[in-house]
Amino acid sequence: PRLMPFRIVAIVEGHGEYQAVPVLLRRLVTEMNPEVTIGRPVRQSRGSLLKNDGLERAVQLAFIETGADGAVVVLIDSEGDCPAELAPTLLQRARNARNDRRIAVILAHQEFEAWFLASASSLRGLRRLPQDIDDHPDPESVRGCKEWLEARMPPNSKYSETADQPAFADTFDLTLARRAPSFDKLYREIEQICREARETLEPR
């Protein structure tokens, strides 16, 4: 019998994501494979992840967190970089660090908050957002998603990464958010990981 759960550990860049990403991953795995657990993320600034050896070190740390069975999900903002170019480069680097384990790299196009823009109608009335907020027609075209959300809050309200991001991550509609291609990619990657986890969890 297996003693260790299959665990997903995320590598993130911000304090907001450090709190929000486990919330989001838990919601996804609850739908797909409730036996998968979510570990504590590894947080590194975007600058140090992109530097030589930065991502590689973070990957090694994350696999210590997963234990014997598990996967690592690198989730950072694209911040204007083209995800289709940067993600494969980062994935190759991560795999060079650990080619024996499952690793996914997702770049939230522009920012993590683009996913809230894609599903804004599901956040109506939450954390100072108005009751009539609508989904953004092209969420990944927005540079400054945090500012877009803040502009719809009452005057003098500031968007707070550490308070608003986890609350929104806990609530936004996962199906609506798949309109954002980068969220759809995260969804599909987690689905795949959960499928593979089921195979490792099958009694031998």
Side-chain angles (χ1 to χ4, degrees):
R2 292 169 49 90
L3 300 171
M4 283 290 292
F6 187 98
R7 184 175 295 150
I8 298 175
V9 172
I11 295 173
V12 299
E13 54 179 328
H15 292 281
E17 284 91 353
Y18 184 83
Q19 296 176 334
V21 169
V23 171
L24 171 56
L25 294 180
R26 238 170 251 124
R27 288 183 66 199
L28 290 168
V29 303
T30 301
E31 275 191 12
M32 299 169 184
N33 183 348
E35 288 190 43
V36 171
T37 63
I38 306 301
R40 230 187 9 199
V42 171
R43 191 181 73 77
Q44 293 282 338
S45 74
R46 190 174 192 277
S48 64
L49 285 173
L50 296 182
K51 274 211 295 271
N52 270 347
D53 261 12
L55 177 63
E56 290 78 353
R57 268 204 309 275
V59 165
Q60 299 289 8
L61 284 173
F63 275 117
I64 294 170
E65 278 296 308
T66 67
D69 273 318
V72 164
V73 174
V74 181
L75 176 51
I76 61 174
D77 294 348
S78 76
E79 287 181 19
D81 286 320
C82 168
E85 286 168 19
L86 183 56
T89 311
L90 293 178
L91 182 58
Q92 195 50 59
R93 282 179 53 191
R95 284 192 174 143
N96 291 344
R98 283 302 295 264
N99 63 5
D100 58 325
R101 302 291 292 276
R102 179 83 167 97
I103 303 173
V105 173
I106 290 92
L107 266 64
H109 196 21
Q110 311 300 359
E111 299 172 63
F112 186 96
E113 283 79 3
W115 302 344
F116 303 151
L117 272 56
S119 56
S121 62
S122 62
L123 300 171
R124 286 177 179 165
L126 182 69
R127 308 272 325 160
R128 313 178 303 295
L129 286 178
Q131 291 293 351
D132 59 354
I133 192 169
D134 276 322
D135 305 330
H136 193 289
D138 187 7
E140 294 190 342
S141 67
V142 178
R143 296 293 301 268
C145 300
K146 296 175 179 68
E147 291 75 9
W148 189 91
L149 291 164
E150 198 171 279
R152 280 146 188 81
M153 293 175 173
N156 303 323
S157 260
K158 283 260 175 261
Y159 174 81
S160 159
E161 285 183 36
T162 49
D164 295 327
Q165 202 172 339
F168 292 157
D170 197 25
T171 312
F172 77 104
D173 185 298
L174 302 174
T175 307
L176 266 179
R178 294 184 73 176
R179 295 172 46 238
S182 62
F183 182 72
D184 186 58
K185 176 167 170 59
L186 173 70
Y187 194 96
R188 287 180 288 113
E189 290 280 2
I190 299 300
E191 231 171 14
Q192 181 62 31
I193 288 170
C194 285
R195 243 198 320 274
E196 288 175 16
R198 200 167 291 118
E199 286 155 22
T200 38
L201 292 164
E202 296 294 315
R204 301 265 189 276

